[in-house]
Amino acid sequence: MSRLSNIHVLVLAFAIAMSPSLCFPSTKGEVFPVFTKWHVYVVNGVGNQESLFVHCKSKDNDLGIQNLSPGTNTTWGFRTNFFHSTLFWCYLRKSSAQHAALKVFWQDIYLFEKCNWKNCIWIAKDDGIYIKDFANVRDEFSKKWEEGWIKTQDSYRSL
Ligand SMILES: *[C@@H]1O[C@H](CO)[C@@H](O)[C@H](O)[C@H]1NC(C)=O
């Protein structure tokens, strides 16, 4: 082995030893493995038979544009990455020209508990976006709609 690759191995071993991402204890005393499979759902729970425009992305993936009819949802699954940087965000727009941009997955124990360490369920309703809180068995208000239409790209800048 060259001197350089020895150093690489040492650095990697050190990173693994120091990484809190391998085991992440939840308040339930369980150990959270880093490669857990997560699912995010975006649900059209808006009244008035309105459709919901949804465009979700991560740094590496554009999940494309969807138009959800009332009561339907879109979902995707992924594994969290080693370096704790997995992040997804969505731009949502009601047909009545109100929109919101929000993060729908980030690596944080606050979110993990809401999602019951598995499913993050975001529900668009008439007054804003809610997240299903599994711990309290209710939908928790998260973000208000903003008035008017703006371009998807512009809305992401504020996140
Ligand atoms: C999403 O839609 C599927 C298919 O209609 C349904 O079975 C599932 O319960 C829905 N999930 C949520 C979280 O609304």
Side-chain angles (χ1 to χ4, degrees), residues 52-64:
L52 182 72
F53 173 102
V54 180
H55 190 181
C56 300
K57 289 181 180 179
S58 69
K59 193 159 67 66
D60 307 317
N61 289 302
D62 184 330
L63 303 178

Side-chain angles (χ1 to χ4, degrees), residues 41 43 73 121:
Y41 292 81
V43 181
N73 66 68
I121 302 178

